[in-house]
Amino acid sequence: MTQSIRSREFQYWEDSAANWGDRLARLKAENVDEVHAFIPWGLHETIQGIRDFSKASRLRLEKFLSLSHQTGLTVRLTIGFPAQKESFPSWTLALGDSAALVPSSLWKKSSDELALSRLPTIFEEALFVPFLEFVSDVFSLLSLYRFPEGPVVGVHLDWGIYRNDLGLTSQPSYAAALQERYPQASLIGLRYHCSFRDFSVATSPQGTRVLLDKRPWLLAYDYKYCRTRLLEERSQGILALRNGEPLLDLISLDPVPQSEPAPTDWCVAIDPTLLEGDAEKKAFPFVPSGLVHAQAVGVFRLWEYLKTQSAENETRLVTLREGAAPASTVSVVAGRFLPKALFHTIRSWVEAGTLVVFPLGQPQYDENLVSLDWKTPPRTLVRSVLGNFGRLGIGKGQVWFPDIPTQPVPEFWEQMHTFYEHVSQGAIGGEGV
């Protein structure tokens, strides 16, 4: 059996270098194998073009790496833009003509306001080029400390705050990314039931407002698709840096995987398309360019309600995502639309024996407005012992849904909890039909 690596966060720049040796030695004595650290651009380059990795006592990156290696600890490093002030040099805050728009309570940890903060955007060369120069210098340094000669076993590129950027429609590259999804502007009209002569009009403030009013869930999906594509292009620019070649096999672009809690008996999973952030920690309504739609606000309010109820009842509320089933019974809170990838994920859960409940009714369409076929291979729809709920057997598990969608009224949580109580008592369940 492979032994798991014990890791611990160690932000070298938060403490004097004189204390690093003792702290690292204590971690080693606690059987820690690996430390994770963020390399903050905002601290290492306080003056544009002057990057300091050795002079200030708390910025001596090379000393930190050497001490870690001497102590027998491996190091995994992050570069990029986590949601903290150290990510940005102060001189960058006035760069560029456009800005990233991010949820204020994500950027300002102490804030709970539903507002957007303006930050310099990585999609303007005025910011991206200086960041590339910083990363190039970091790569040059890290290439001297890669394992086994040094401690560095991984470098993670974290776009952090930009994964929640809601101000992209003003970027010319946004229209190009949307064109990847819809080769012709006329296809946008077919999907949204409107008409645009070209992509620049469709992505203008007025065009975005029209699309949001027509199909808010679909616009949220399309926006996030484009945002992912734009960040992938920026990632490729970093991978093309010549100084990064010795580290290519150590560089990861995906979010750092978090250790997943062990599966539980029951959890609630919410479709995140009309939300920003993480349903398990902090979520925000999807408001592209600050445009608010009642449906996004409604989903956010539903999240707030579920978050409160789940905390009071010690039940996990999670973001619906691809991967293993988080519980043996999962209540999936989703509307009429569901991304195709998540549809296949849920199908795989059910095939493996998970009971899936759709308390708001079955999703009917994917992001291409194609009907979701829950009955392939053909299955039988039967009446359950619980009121209006019907069930559909697929493989070893079952999908449960009400004939008439339940509205998220105050009794909503109680209805889901009652359903789970029936499951846990054996009144609902069994093999596929």
Side-chain angles (χ1 to χ4, degrees):
M1 180 181 294
T2 304
Q3 187 175 4
S4 61
I5 295 175
R6 295 190 62 189
S7 61
R8 192 77 60 83
E9 184 177 286
F10 189 100
Q11 304 301 1
Y12 62 94
W13 41 271
E14 292 182 339
D15 195 4
S16 170
N19 299 325
W20 293 346
D22 289 341
R23 289 181 56 197
L24 291 169
R26 285 198 299 270
L27 291 176
K28 187 64 179 178
E30 295 171 6
N31 295 319
V32 171
D33 306 296
E34 183 174 280
V35 291
H36 295 179
F38 168 52
I39 304 176
W41 183 26
L43 297 182
H44 283 287
E45 189 175 344
T46 55
I47 300 174
Q48 186 172 3
I50 301 177
R51 291 172 279 279
D52 177 9
F53 297 104
S54 60
K55 292 182 181 179
S57 61
R58 66 193 184 101
L59 295 178
R60 296 174 66 184
L61 178 57
E62 290 191 77
K63 180 174 181 177
F64 162 63
L65 296 176
S66 297
L67 284 173
S68 298
H69 191 48
Q70 293 169 16
T71 310
L73 294 166
T74 55
V75 176
R76 208 168 285 272
L77 296 160
T78 296
I79 54 175
F81 299 93
Q84 56 194 72
K85 67 181 186 306
E86 292 85 2
S87 297
F88 294 89
S90 58
W91 53 265
T92 66
L93 299 181
L95 288 178
D97 298 323
S98 58
L101 298 176
V102 300
S104 295
S105 53
L106 179 63
W107 176 243
K108 304 172 184 176
K109 300 297 185 181
S110 61
S111 171
D112 287 326
E113 61 179 328
L114 290 179
L116 297 177
S117 294
R118 297 174 66 88
L119 292 173
T121 174
I122 197 66
F123 301 105
E124 280 211 6
E125 300 307 303
L127 180 73
F128 187 56
V129 171
F131 178 64
L132 278 180
E133 293 171 352
F134 166 74
V135 173
S136 182
D137 281 359
V138 170
F139 282 169
S140 293
L141 188 153
L142 296 185
S143 64
L144 304 175
Y145 290 88
R146 63 167 293 156
F147 190 81
E149 289 78 15
V152 178
V153 294
V155 181
H156 174 234
L157 173 62
D158 181 12
W159 289 118
I161 198 75
Y162 292 116
R163 293 188 183 278
N164 297 102
D165 184 359
L166 292 165
L168 291 178
T169 56
S170 62
Q171 298 295 328
S173 50
Y174 177 82
L178 188 63
Q179 193 167 359
E180 288 185 23
R181 178 151 155 71
Y182 299 103
Q184 299 176 352
S186 59
L187 292 178
I188 299 179
L190 289 175
R191 295 277 169 83
Y192 286 88
H193 291 177
C194 56
S195 178
F196 292 106
R197 67 176 183 272
D198 56 44
F199 287 93
S200 62
V201 176
T203 56
S204 67
Q206 297 82 1
T208 301
R209 175 84 266 179
V210 170
L211 299 180
L212 186 64
D213 287 340
K214 290 286 186 178
R215 292 191 185 275
W217 185 94
L218 185 58
L219 176 65
Y221 179 90
D222 286 346
Y223 183 93
K224 293 180 179 183
Y225 170 90
C226 293
R227 184 168 62 192
T228 298
R229 291 293 300 119
L230 295 183
L231 290 176
E232 287 174 352
E233 290 177 4
R234 284 310 195 206
S235 297
Q236 292 306 311
I238 290 176
L239 292 178
L241 287 173
R242 196 166 186 181
N243 289 347
E245 289 181 4
L247 300 169
L248 279 179
D249 59 322
L250 302 185
I251 300 174
S252 63
L253 302 178
D254 296 326
V256 175
Q258 303 294 321
S259 56
E260 292 289 337
T264 58
D265 292 334
W266 176 47
C267 82
V268 180
I270 188 169
D271 172 24
T273 306
L274 279 167
L275 293 174
E276 287 290 313
D278 187 340
E280 298 177 61
K281 300 174 184 176
K282 180 66 178 176
F284 322 90
F286 172 75
V287 285
S289 302
L291 298 174
V292 180
H293 190 275
Q295 189 170 328
V297 174
V299 171
F300 173 72
R301 295 304 179 194
L302 176 58
W303 170 81
E304 286 187 313
Y305 168 73
L306 293 174
K307 183 69 173 175
T308 300
Q309 294 295 327
S310 64
E312 291 178 358
N313 292 272
E314 298 183 345
T315 302
R316 284 184 67 201
L317 172 65
V318 302
T319 298
L320 181 60
R321 58 168 64 94
E322 298 178 64
S328 54
T329 300
V330 183
S331 292
V332 176
V333 178
R336 294 173 58 209
F337 300 95
L338 188 71
K340 192 174 183 179
L342 294 181
F343 164 71
H344 288 301
T345 293
I346 293 173
R347 284 291 302 250
S348 70
W349 293 354
V350 177
E351 292 284 1
T354 302
L355 291 178
V356 176
V357 186
F358 285 105
L360 295 181
Q362 266 180 300
Q364 300 172 36
Y365 305 102
D366 66 15
E367 66 272 18
N368 298 314
L369 303 190
V370 175
S371 296
L372 296 173
D373 187 3
W374 296 98
K375 297 182 181 180
T376 301
R379 301 295 180 187
T380 304
L381 182 64
V382 299
R383 183 72 61 186
S384 81
V385 297
L386 188 64
N388 290 328
F389 273 86
R391 77 178 175 188
L392 186 64
I394 302 174
K396 297 179 180 179
Q398 297 167 356
V399 175
W400 295 81
F401 56 93
D403 295 340
I404 301 174
T406 303
Q407 298 300 316
V409 293
E411 294 79 18
F412 181 52
W413 181 271
E414 284 72 14
Q415 291 173 0
M416 287 198 298
H417 192 270
T418 299
F419 190 95
Y420 171 68
E421 288 297 319
H422 280 69
V423 171
S424 62
Q425 295 166 10
I428 295 176
E431 296 297 320
V433 181

